[in-house]
Amino acid sequence: MSLRDPVIFVLVLALVLPLCSCRNNLYSSIDLSDMELSEGEGIDIDARLLTDAKEIEDLFGAFLPDYGILPLLVAIRNNDTVPFRIYSRNSLDLRDDFKGFSLHLDGKEIFPVHPAQVIEAIKGLSSPADYRKYGGKDIAAGVVVAPLGVVYAWKGFKEYREYRPLINASLLPADHGGTFRPLMLEPGEEINGYLYFPLMPDEVPYKTEEIKVTKSNKIKTGYVHIFNGSVLSGAVLKARISDAGIDCIPGCDKLPGIDSLEISQSVFCRNDREISKDPLSGSCGRALFVLTDESGEAALLFTGENVFSGEKGQDLFEIKRFRGSSAVIADAEQYGGYLACAVNFKRKAKVFVIYSGGSGKRPEITAVRDYEKKVRRVFLSDEGFTVITDNAFCYFESYSGGNPAYRKISGDLQDAYVLREGSLFVLSGDEAGLLSASEDNRFRAGKRISLPKAERDICGSIDTELVAISRGRGGRGDTLVAYDTVDLKEKARIPFRGKIETAEVYRGGILARLEEGTILDIQLEKTAGFRIHHSGWSSSKFLSMISDSGYLTAIDAGGGLLCAEIDLMLPRAVSAGGKKVFTTAVGEISPSGNSLPEKK
């Protein structure tokens, strides 16, 4: 194990076989004995099974083992002088650094599932077997993947009576969207709660037997649950912990020119459609637009395109100042030496087109256009620029001037995107279509297909595929979907338990940040579909971020410029007293305690 590996704490479950528990209260807790905090002491951990079926039913509103879910009561205490953090894979095929808690049984590694997944099992929407597979490997509490093109109308999890007890009793901080946030443990802090593990029928330590009872000369049939702890003999619970004092960011520098400004927004120029051989459009050349907010006045500025080439002394160019502070950058793109930026206000919008002029030359504003509606998208091409407004109108204007061409492109527009070959891909609530964007047949309608109704946002294009986010409803997570730009059919998808906070396409992949902090560099492969290529984590919410072949570049609210290899943005090993710490605690399945688990 390398020095970068997080520490693994192992808890062996020693089993006893009582058929019932003697207690005065239905709810269990574990009290860990206090000990003096000391550097290098690590954690104290204990885990117990509930031996009484009525206790499980009363606590969770259902007998979870009947649905293949094992509730395991866990107590954990930080006896060290440094804070700890325990991560979760959140049903993704991430590196071992993110494993967090895992139950080891008969050579199998089982990960806890989210309360939302427990609800799925209770309502028959999935089975424990679904949570034990990911890419054909028995390694993760996986996701139930719908067939291509299918979107289920799931009922909101919060509407189920079992959901609140499950989420309230969870040891891991659980978002309603379906993901776990990292568990933080301050020095001396102790937490009690439940982990929910999906088990196969022969692994469940409870046997259900039918019984017959005679009452009032009538024979009635019932069922009784009998605890059989020997089924889990030799089970081991592992907790992989990391140093919470490190935010998984290897290093951060200030971006010259904006580090002293009050930044309200920053947007990197999109360049996934870039095909020009102009030296300005190299893989490291990404211009950055910045909005400042000082004393009620907003200013739009941008940097040169060599921000990420390692050069210092970046020039900062002011484009326009605006009264008030309602300005918001809606979209920005660079293409063939040109830059375009759309700025929305309360009701109207402005679009700026800039020729960057090349290295060492001052940029030139070539066009400024006003629009009566807010702008959603702006695109550049060799001939001119295309603007799409919120009321579903599409405008095209040549760099040489003249009257713009325009047309309403949808009655229920969700998003639209100009593809490399010049066609316009339009997404509505339940339809995808193509329009010609060429000079000869501008806005001519092409192929259209029906789609399941959903809310979608376009991220960008990769070769002949367009990538969009399909937003989950009713507590469901989001899904990345790839559409073929010729036949419009769905080609690949990757579902997430939680929400995608931001996602951007770059030449070669997609950079996504999930709401709980996981950062993913995802590749779209021709035959295999989406594949997670790099993964990291950060608690920081960046104003903007981009990726290039596994490297993350981001801007924080203070003008900090982060340039880091995503694979190095990992949970860090605990370093206490200059050495790694291993602690083994032996737990016992015992009769219940006296109180409901409570997070302190």
Side-chain angles (χ1 to χ4, degrees), residues 210 218 227 521 548 565 572:
E210 181 179 296
K218 293 183 179 180
F227 176 71
D521 189 342
D548 185 8
E565 189 174 350
R572 303 296 185 86

Side-chain angles (χ1 to χ4, degrees), residues 187-205:
E189 184 176 11
E190 178 183 332
I191 297 178
N192 271 258
Y194 285 87
L195 298 176
Y196 310 107
F197 289 98
L199 299 183
M200 305 304 288
D202 60 340
E203 298 168 345
V204 176

Side-chain angles (χ1 to χ4, degrees), residues 13 85 104 247 315 338 428 453 554 558 570:
L13 304 181
R85 184 184 277 139
H104 295 249
D247 193 30
D315 290 327
Y338 281 91
S428 61
K453 192 171 183 63
L570 295 172

Side-chain angles (χ1 to χ4, degrees), residues 6-7 83-87 97 240-245 571-574:
V7 182
F84 294 149
R85 184 184 277 139
I86 300 178
Y87 294 85
D97 307 79
R240 183 182 290 261
I241 73 167
S242 304
D243 192 337
R572 303 296 185 86
V574 172

Side-chain angles (χ1 to χ4, degrees), residues 349-412:
K350 281 184 178 290
V351 170
F352 300 88
V353 179
I354 303 159
Y355 182 65
S356 57
S359 179
K361 297 182 181 178
R362 185 168 183 82
E364 175 188 356
I365 298 177
T366 61
V368 179
R369 297 293 181 266
D370 295 301
Y371 294 88
E372 293 300 315
K373 298 293 183 179
K374 291 183 177 181
V375 169
R376 180 166 299 184
R377 294 283 190 178
V378 59
F379 299 95
L380 296 166
S381 66
D382 293 330
E383 298 83 22
F385 56 97
T386 300
V387 175
I388 299 169
T389 56
D390 272 354
N391 61 343
F393 271 83
C394 181
Y395 301 83
F396 173 82
E397 186 170 343
S398 171
Y399 292 130
S400 58
N403 293 326
Y406 63 93
R407 175 184 170 177
K408 190 176 180 66
I409 58 175
S410 174
D412 181 25

Side-chain angles (χ1 to χ4, degrees), residues 74-134:
V74 178
I76 184 168
R77 184 176 190 273
N78 182 1
N79 295 322
D80 217 307
T81 57
V82 296
F84 294 149
R85 184 184 277 139
I86 300 178
Y87 294 85
S88 300
R89 271 181 162 168
N90 283 320
S91 303
L92 297 173
D93 192 11
L94 304 181
R95 299 166 59 133
D96 287 352
D97 307 79
F98 293 93
K99 274 188 177 180
F101 289 101
S102 58
L103 182 66
H104 295 249
L105 178 64
D106 296 332
K108 291 170 286 189
E109 189 174 24
I110 308 167
F111 295 92
V113 296
H114 189 276
Q117 292 167 287
V118 179
I119 292 295
E120 290 174 358
I122 292 175
K123 301 306 175 184
L125 303 175
S126 61
S127 71
D130 296 318
Y131 300 136
R132 296 275 288 273
K133 297 175 183 177
Y134 188 97

Side-chain angles (χ1 to χ4, degrees), residues 156-190:
F157 292 121
K158 292 188 231 183
E159 298 178 34
Y160 294 118
R161 63 182 177 84
E162 302 94 343
Y163 185 64
R164 186 165 295 281
L166 286 165
I167 204 165
N168 287 345
S170 175
L171 176 71
L172 295 170
D175 290 326
H176 288 291
T179 56
F180 291 120
R181 299 184 306 279
L183 175 64
M184 291 284 295
L185 279 172
E186 297 295 335
E189 184 176 11
E190 178 183 332

